[in-house]
Amino acid sequence: MAGSVSRTVVKARVAALAAFRGDLLIIGVYQDLKRLPRQLTDLDKAVGGRLAELLKLGDFEGKQLQLTAVYGGGKIKRVMLAGLGEKKDLTAETIRRVAGAAVRRAGELKAGAIGFSLPLALPGKIDAELASQAITEGLIVGRYSFDEYISDDDAKSAGKMPVSLLADDEGTVSKLRKGIKIGTILAEGQNRSRAIANQPGNSVNPQALAAEARRLARKFGLSCTVFDDRKLAQMKMGGILAVGGGSASKPRLIVLRYKGKRSAGIDVVVVGKAITFDSGGINLKPSGALDGMKFDKSGGCAILGIMTALAELRLTINVVGVIPAAENMVSQTSYRPDDIVRTYSGKTVEIQNTDAEGRIILSDALAYAAEMKPAAIIDMATLTGACVIALGNHKSGLFANNDDLRKKIESAAQASGEAVWHLPSSDEYLEQMKSKVADFRNVGGREGGSCTAAAFLHQFVGEVPHAHIDIAGTADSKEAKPYRAVGSTGTPVRLVLEYLRSL
Ligand code: BES
Ligand code: ZN
Ligand code: ZN
């Protein structure tokens, strides 16, 4: 199913820029350079002075993501200058985006072997290892696109692309290799998640997702348990069963385990919403709101990316991944408005809107996670349209019942470039969810729709520190970015992995 996701192989080696032999040499350049930097003089000679010419004419200003190719004529076929923006503003995220944009352009040029020379460090800010991790992430995430159903080969991005990061000495190269190793694991984990999230509902239903989880678990050495609908009934997982009941494809609960240390205690449970298609159910979505609802499984797909990458990182922690998977459909067996659902925790929920289904399946999954008594639970879900209205597509909503956990996630967001914004989810929001006939209703009105949803989720974890990441606005993108293809973004795979790496 996942097709080929590793299309970019990144390596580091010692080489002078002028001695590069390959299809394309990409050079990162800061904004507003008056003259050619000293490190580029030999290269400039090798391409007949064309780089200096370009700068002199003012045709390349070095603005962030500006890309200009120069044709060498000699042994170096092409050199591409990639604008980094102003030096004082450089961050790991800028490096990621420039690398992604450059490699996407290289793909359009059908370039094969590529050499790369971005600033490999910025004293006091970014060291060589971090820089090469960021470059690698940008390259690998930038190159992925969902094209396995497109018949026309010319419309697809080409096959494998070897990329070499060039450095002056062996010392730097060995630092670069460390960053490349980590960046490759994180970015490939993210692409693995994207490759599944991009699949439409007629390819991935709850069973197919469970089969994919099993396949990945075998490949990466994780343990995997799948609970089918009969087992879910025995376990009294009333929430998942209610939401999944309207579909011919019955729901599943997928549990993946990574054991990185001897002791049995669980450090973190990560939980991801996997609605393989969200029609809204009996409260059917209007036509315009249905497209893109294959991405309602993005949280669950992120768990697959996180757990597989975690196995490759070999961190010395114990982590469990929990994916409640269901399809929210309309049929004679659908759950209805007014239904009262008894969730796994024993708490009852009056259904007011069958389209607020994410919190119902998550209530079972979170209560199940809390039973393991982990040090923290992090869930990720395309949960509310209200979050898209509040934050748009640039930042995910972050909610937490614990400040320490929240701060750690904010740092990981900073490190990964996958931005979050903290929003409130305190108990007063629960007032809006009161029911006259059950413990809660599943909606709390339009006001603060993301906050009421998050407050609802907190009710199912007991005292366990819990963070909820609402990725409704960030999980997928309708427009291609210079540095990333359309479709699933794979967020927050790298964010959560940075958090786990920081423990
Ligand atoms: N999957 C949607 C949330 C969503 C909306 C994700 C837009 C991505 C883009 C969720 O299940 C949903 O439909 N939520 C409702 C809740 C409402 C009925 C309280 C919403 O946000 O409208
Ligand atoms: Zn919904
Ligand atoms: Zn949904």
Side-chain angles (χ1 to χ4, degrees):
M1 170 211 298
S4 157
V5 296
S6 54
R7 293 175 176 177
T8 317
V9 182
V10 188
K11 298 216 161 89
R13 63 183 160 91
V14 176
L17 298 180
F20 174 78
R21 297 289 171 269
D23 290 335
L24 175 66
L25 179 59
I26 298 170
I27 315 272
V29 180
Y30 291 116
Q31 195 167 330
D32 295 333
L33 287 184
K34 296 283 168 285
R35 280 182 296 110
L36 200 69
R38 196 166 29 83
Q39 311 89 284
L40 301 185
T41 30
D42 286 348
L43 175 66
D44 190 41
K45 270 190 211 132
V47 294
R50 290 184 170 95
L51 297 178
E53 183 80 11
L54 194 67
L55 291 182
K56 211 170 87 195
L57 288 171
D59 290 3
F60 178 84
E61 301 151 292
K63 285 200 178 124
Q64 216 181 90
L65 300 182
Q66 187 185 6
L67 300 170
T68 304
V70 161
Y71 293 80
K75 285 186 177 147
I76 301 178
K77 283 189 211 151
R78 309 180 187 91
V79 176
M80 184 154 70
L81 298 186
L84 295 165
E86 290 189 29
K87 190 170 185 174
K88 66 173 173 44
D89 298 331
L90 189 77
T91 61
E93 182 61 9
T94 317
I95 296 179
R96 253 177 231 117
R97 289 181 182 197
V98 172
V103 82
R104 281 170 63 77
R105 178 69 64 80
E108 286 162 18
L109 296 172
K110 304 263 186 255
I114 292 189
F116 227 88
S117 170
L118 282 186
L120 297 175
L122 192 66
K125 231 173 144 185
I126 300 169
D127 64 16
E129 186 178 328
L130 212 62
S132 70
Q133 184 187 333
I135 295 172
T136 305
E137 289 171 355
L139 292 171
I140 294 177
V141 171
R143 274 282 283 163
Y144 167 77
S145 76
F146 176 56
D147 53 19
E148 64 191 78
Y149 293 92
I150 297 174
S151 311
D152 177 4
D153 281 338
D154 281 342
K156 299 185 186 193
S157 41
K160 283 220 157 124
M161 183 186 277
V163 181
S164 309
L165 307 191
L166 310 179
D168 295 335
D169 56 277
E170 273 303 333
T172 310
V173 164
S174 78
K175 284 184 201 147
L176 295 182
R177 286 194 179 127
K178 281 190 196 151
I180 289 172
K181 189 169 172 216
I182 292 174
T184 300
I185 293 175
L186 268 57
E188 286 187 347
Q190 185 143 52
N191 284 354
R192 221 174 282 126
S193 160
R194 297 165 81 191
I196 306 164
N198 278 327
Q199 292 292 334
N202 63 343
S203 158
V204 168
N205 58 23
Q207 291 103 292
L209 190 67
E212 180 67 0
R214 278 215 179 93
R215 185 185 73 83
L216 290 171
R218 222 173 295 126
K219 184 167 170 194
F220 288 86
L222 299 160
S223 84
C224 177
T225 313
V226 175
F227 301 107
D228 65 11
D229 47 322
R230 270 174 47 202
K231 187 77 186 142
L232 291 172
Q234 279 170 18
M235 294 162 81
K236 299 195 160 65
M237 293 257 178
I240 299 174
L241 287 166
V243 172
S247 173
S249 313
K250 294 300 169 210
R252 297 286 184 268
L253 180 71
I254 305 160
V255 181
L256 294 159
R257 285 194 166 75
Y258 168 75
K259 199 161 175 352
K261 65 182 187 196
R262 284 237 175 87
S263 56
I266 296 189
D267 296 288
V268 183
V269 184
V270 286
V271 181
K273 167 179 173 181
I275 294 293
T276 57
F277 185 77
D278 184 8
S279 73
I282 302 276
N283 293 97
L284 188 63
K285 286 180 185 291
S287 285
L290 282 161
D291 71 32
M293 279 303 140
K294 68 171 183 177
F295 294 114
D296 213 24
K297 61 183 179 304
S298 299
C301 297
I303 303 299
L304 295 175
I306 291 164
M307 295 302 290
T308 50
L310 184 59
E312 290 195 303
L313 287 173
R314 298 171 173 278
L315 299 181
T316 51
I317 50 176
N318 292 341
V319 180
V320 180
V322 177
I323 307 170
E327 190 181 33
N328 191 18
M329 296 296 266
V330 193
S331 77
Q332 298 211 22
T333 55
S334 295
Y335 77 139
R336 329 157 181 74
D338 286 353
D339 279 3
I340 298 174
V341 173
R342 189 174 293 279
T343 64
Y344 180 63
S345 67
K347 293 188 167 81
T348 55
V349 182
E350 176 194 0
I351 304 303
Q352 234 193 339
N353 189 322
T354 59
D355 197 12
E357 82 298 334
R359 61 198 76 182
I360 306 291
I361 63 167
L362 286 170
S363 69
D364 281 354
L366 289 170
Y368 180 75
E371 275 182 352
M372 300 175 209
K373 301 205 183 314
I377 297 176
I378 303 174
D379 83 71
M380 50 220 76
T382 46
L383 201 66
T384 63
C387 193
V388 191
I389 301 302
L391 300 179
N393 307 116
H394 307 292
K395 288 176 166 49
S396 303
L398 172 65
F399 304 83
N401 65 1
N402 178 290
D403 282 339
D404 182 49
L405 176 61
R406 193 243 314 155
K407 284 178 193 151
K408 283 186 181 138
I409 291 177
E410 285 174 330
S411 310
Q414 186 72 34
S416 66
E418 301 198 294
V420 297
W421 198 259
H422 178 213
L423 294 168
S425 53
S426 45
D427 280 351
E428 61 240 61
Y429 289 99
L430 280 178
E431 295 292 313
Q432 290 171 239
M433 316 282 287
K434 269 201 177 140
S435 165
K436 293 196 171 72
V437 293
D439 297 332
F440 305 104
R441 297 192 307 201
N442 74 330
V443 288
R446 277 164 51 80
E447 297 91 352
S450 307
C451 308
T452 50
F456 179 91
L457 297 183
H458 289 325
Q459 297 312 301
F460 296 89
V461 297
E463 297 301 307
V464 181
H466 168 223
H468 157 61
I469 305 174
D470 194 331
I471 54 172
T474 51
D476 62 281
S477 170
K478 285 203 172 64
E479 279 164 51
K481 295 274 163 65
Y483 52 86
R484 199 183 56 216
V486 286
S488 170
T489 63
T491 201
V493 169
R494 287 185 300 100
L495 184 168
V496 175
L497 287 165
E498 290 293 3
Y499 163 79
L500 294 171
R501 257 157 50 81
S502 77
L503 293 181

